[in-house]
């Protein structure tokens, strides 16, 4: 499929999730996954300002990406943090040559097998709400076209966070960021509950919850809520069949 | 948040009036006229825990009686409800509450749900006698007070002392996943499961994240041993 066509499809898919009963974590999760696909990278993660002076990881495509992002937060060093602090794009960071600038991050990223890292700000005028981070395995850098798409995805993430509400309303932004943080925690709690009940891994638990949400047209957080409340038995959450 | 808790603790060695001390400290630290804190369970509002002045007390009770208001919404929806100008916004949204609030001389309310994902323990309400938003720094401070209050109420509900000022809004997914696992193993709610985890980590003098990882990989099981910490 032509890339433009796929791009249009993804935009429609994302716009489609921005309905009244909108699930911010689910939206950001889909966005990071599509970003990896469209921009031709290998992993992505998204961090948001927790409004307490820190960043928190709210969406990620795989475990190594999440761990690397957490590592960055713990060590308070890395391109994503610099991107958040300055609001500037930090793209095509060649990890074989970045040890002088970010020694701890570079070592951890190389250990995860990444060769390039890219960070794009979630920007609302002068305010930076978070950062979208992409990691690449292999030797190719991102083209300007890819970077434009990636920044477009970061902008869509910002729009999604603000939803269709007035962009100047700082109050709603605070409400939305806090909701995203707690929805993420709720989903993690539900993954734990489901994995213990069904005797499966937490990542399998996540796949089953997402699958169930899609199949039944529910929000991911509603499904997580039902799992936690015991209202949704694990036998109703079917294993995910890999259709690829 | 650690600093806030430590300061509240210093004046309350046995922890008995921690909620009140927190509310008073919050009212002092922020440009507000009063602070209220209410307990919340899965069944609904479960009573007032602290109020720093008459107006805060009155408005907490008013919302409890009416079943409407920013604090009720914050608690129910699990998201902050920030109302910098009640005279403008409240009459349409909460007609009965708006009248009472304006009569009591309150012009702005900032209500923060006290929650950790699915665990909801209460709500922290800041009242102010003049209209106007919180600045970004003030919002950050208010959220830190909310985090401290969440920790205090979480342990108060479980009848357990507050063990260590370790953040409840832990950024590590493992801690929240392990909370879910422990709730199934020990057949308790998530709130109690989180308290059990924290108590065990504290008793064994190890980081919460380490214990969480052991729970996830099956090294530690809260179902097999009768250890209510």
């Amino acid at each position: 499929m032509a890339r433009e066509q796929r791009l249009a499809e993804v935009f429609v898919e994302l716009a489609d999730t921005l309905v009244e009963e909108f699930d911010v974590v689910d939206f950001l999760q889909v966005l990071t996954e599509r970003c990896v696909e469209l921009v031709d990278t290998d992993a992505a993660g998204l961090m948001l300002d927790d409004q307490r002076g820190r960043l928190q990881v709210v969406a990620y495509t795989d475990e190594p990406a999440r761990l690397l992002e957490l590592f960055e937060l713990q060590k308070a060093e890395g391109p994503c943090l610099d991107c958040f602090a300055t609001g500037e794009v930090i793209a095509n960071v060649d990890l074989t040559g970045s040890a002088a600038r970010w020694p701890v991050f570079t070592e951890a990223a190389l250990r995860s097998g990444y060769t390039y890292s890219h960070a794009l700000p979630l920007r609302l005028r002068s305010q930076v709400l978070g950062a979208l981070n992409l990691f690449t395995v292999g030797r190719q850098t991102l083209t300007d076209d890819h970077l434009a798409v990636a920044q477009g995805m970061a902008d869509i993430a910002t729009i999604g966070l603000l939803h269709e509400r007035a962009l100047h309303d700082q109050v709603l932004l605070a409400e939305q960021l806090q909701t995203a943080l707690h929805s993420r925690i709720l989903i993690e709690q539900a993954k734990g509950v489901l994995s213990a009940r069904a005797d499966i891994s937490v990542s399998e638990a996540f796949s089953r919850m997402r699958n169930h949400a899609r199949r039944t047209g529910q929000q991911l957080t509603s499904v997580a809520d039902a799992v936690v409340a015991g209202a949704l038995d694990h036998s109703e959450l079917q294993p995910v069949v890999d259709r690829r | 948040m650690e600093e806030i808790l430590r300061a509240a603790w210093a004046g309350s060695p046995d922890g008995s009036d921690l909620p009140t001390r927190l509310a008073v400290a919050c009212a002092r630290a922020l440009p507000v006229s009063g602070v209220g804190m209410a307990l919340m369970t899965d069944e609904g509002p479960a009573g007032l825990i602290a109020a720093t002045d008459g107006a805060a007390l009155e408005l907490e009770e008013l919302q409890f009686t009416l079943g409407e208001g920013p604090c009720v919404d914050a608690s129910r929806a699990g998201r902050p409800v920030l109302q910098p100008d009640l005279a403008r916004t409240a009459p349409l949204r909460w007609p009965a509450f708006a009248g009472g609030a304006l009569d009591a001389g309150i012009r702005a309310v900032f209500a923060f749900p006290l929650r950790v994902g699915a665990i909801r323990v209460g709500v922290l309400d800041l009242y102010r006698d003049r209209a106007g938003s919180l600045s970004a720094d003030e919002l950050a401070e208010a959220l830190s007070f909310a985090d401290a209050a969440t920790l205090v109420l979480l342990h108060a509900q479980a009848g357990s002392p507050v063990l260590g000022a370790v953040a409840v809004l832990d950024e590590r997914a493992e801690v929240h996943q392990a909370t879910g696992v422990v709730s199934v193993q020990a057949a308790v709610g998530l709130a109690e499961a989180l308290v059990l985890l924290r108590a065990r980590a504290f008793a064994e003098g190890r980081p919460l994240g380490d214990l969480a990882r052991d729970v996830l990989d099956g090294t530690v099981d809260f179902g097999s041993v009768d250890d209510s910490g």
Side-chain angles (χ1 to χ4, degrees):
Chain A
M1 190 186 304
R3 187 151 150 274
E4 286 71 20
Q5 193 185 341
R6 182 64 190 136
L7 195 57
E9 269 184 16
V10 168
F11 283 169
V12 169
E13 179 191 13
L14 289 170
D16 201 40
T17 60
L18 289 172
V19 290
E20 191 59 41
E21 289 291 306
F22 149 83
D23 192 315
V24 65
V25 170
D26 203 9
F27 168 76
L28 296 174
Q29 181 66 37
V30 171
L31 187 131
T32 53
E33 288 172 8
R34 297 299 173 269
C35 197
V36 164
E37 175 197 338
L38 288 171
V39 180
D40 197 20
T41 49
D42 298 282
L46 197 139
M47 296 181 187
L48 289 180
D49 181 0
D50 75 356
Q51 298 180 303
R52 295 159 175 80
R54 287 172 311 200
L55 284 167
Q56 298 219 18
V57 182
V58 292
Y60 48 90
T61 56
D62 61 21
E63 201 54 22
R66 182 180 76 87
L67 291 176
L68 186 55
E69 299 227 288
L70 277 182
F71 189 76
E72 225 182 306
L73 292 180
Q74 278 162 16
K75 299 295 171 193
E77 174 206 290
C80 323
L81 292 184
D82 289 3
C83 167
F84 175 73
T86 61
E88 301 291 329
V89 176
I90 302 183
N92 291 321
V93 172
D94 183 346
L95 293 165
T96 59
S98 64
R101 189 165 171 197
W102 303 292
V104 191
F105 166 79
T106 300
E107 197 197 327
L110 287 172
R111 222 180 310 126
S112 302
Y114 301 126
T115 46
Y116 284 94
S117 98
H118 322 274
L120 303 116
L122 270 59
R123 227 173 5 213
L124 180 64
R125 301 198 187 88
S126 60
Q127 200 177 351
V128 186
L129 313 183
L132 172 66
N133 310 299
L134 303 171
F135 302 102
T136 314
V137 180
R139 289 302 305 169
Q140 78 280 22
T141 55
L142 295 186
T143 62
D144 287 350
D145 270 5
H146 278 135
L147 286 173
V149 171
Q151 185 60 56
M153 298 296 267
D155 294 342
I156 292 173
T158 304
I159 293 167
L161 274 169
L162 296 161
H163 203 184
E164 57 211 356
R165 291 163 178 157
L167 286 182
H168 61 270
D169 203 333
Q170 196 198 3
V171 165
L172 287 165
L173 173 61
E175 295 182 4
Q176 205 57 320
L177 282 172
Q178 293 310 311
T179 304
L181 293 178
H182 282 285
S183 298
R184 183 76 242 175
I185 293 176
L186 163 66
I187 290 164
E188 299 302 342
Q189 290 166 339
K191 280 157 73 172
V193 167
L194 183 57
S195 79
R197 286 217 189 103
D199 196 20
I200 53 177
S201 71
V202 285
S203 60
E204 172 65 16
F206 186 50
S207 303
R208 287 191 193 184
M209 287 196 296
R210 284 189 77 195
N211 189 40
H212 186 78
R214 300 257 182 289
R215 211 160 38 79
T216 57
Q218 293 181 72
Q219 293 178 38
L220 182 57
T221 47
S222 305
V223 172
D225 247 333
V227 166
V228 162
L232 182 61
D233 193 77
H234 66 81
S235 59
E236 293 173 58
L237 294 159
Q238 298 158 1
V240 180
V241 184
D242 194 344
R243 276 161 301 187
R244 275 174 297 179
Chain B
M1 191 212 70
E2 287 81 359
E3 280 167 40
I4 290 170
L5 269 181
R6 224 169 281 131
W9 239 319
S12 173
D14 65 343
S16 58
D17 57 351
L18 265 179
T20 305
R21 287 183 175 276
L22 264 186
V24 170
C26 182
R28 276 202 202 117
L30 287 158
V32 295
S33 46
V35 171
M37 203 189 292
L39 205 61
M40 194 63 59
T41 66
D42 290 341
E43 284 76 45
L48 187 68
I49 293 290
T52 58
D53 69 336
L57 181 65
E58 193 180 322
L59 290 192
E60 291 287 326
E61 283 176 347
L62 179 68
Q63 294 185 74
F64 185 73
T65 311
L66 296 171
E68 73 163 39
C71 319
V72 174
D73 282 9
S75 169
R76 196 173 288 150
R79 57 195 296 163
V81 175
L82 311 177
Q83 293 285 307
D85 187 359
L86 280 180
R88 190 172 62 83
T89 53
L92 279 173
R93 201 163 157 187
W94 310 285
F97 164 79
L102 297 172
D103 284 350
I106 296 302
R107 294 292 176 271
V109 177
F110 308 99
F112 298 89
L114 306 179
R115 65 181 290 209
V116 185
I119 304 169
R120 296 181 181 193
V121 296
V123 60
L124 175 73
D125 308 314
L126 315 185
Y127 298 98
R128 189 161 65 185
D129 52 13
R130 58 187 170 79
S133 300
L134 294 177
S135 71
D137 286 348
E138 288 159 1
L139 180 65
E141 185 78 6
L143 285 168
S144 295
F145 271 103
D147 292 348
T150 304
L151 196 55
V152 167
L153 292 194
L154 179 72
H155 283 267
Q157 277 192 339
S160 144
V162 181
L163 303 162
V166 178
V168 285
L169 274 187
D170 205 292
E171 76 269 24
R172 290 162 301 185
E174 289 88 351
V175 172
H176 305 298
Q177 292 165 2
T179 302
V181 171
V182 169
S183 81
V184 174
Q185 288 177 345
V188 296
L190 286 173
E192 202 178 324
L194 179 55
V195 171
L196 285 177
L197 261 179
R198 294 173 60 91
R200 173 82 66 99
F202 185 81
E204 295 179 357
R206 58 192 299 212
L208 189 55
D210 283 4
L211 178 63
R213 267 184 293 279
D214 280 357
V215 168
L216 292 175
D217 67 22
T219 317
V220 170
D221 190 322
F222 279 71
S224 55
V225 209
D226 180 31
D227 180 5
S228 51

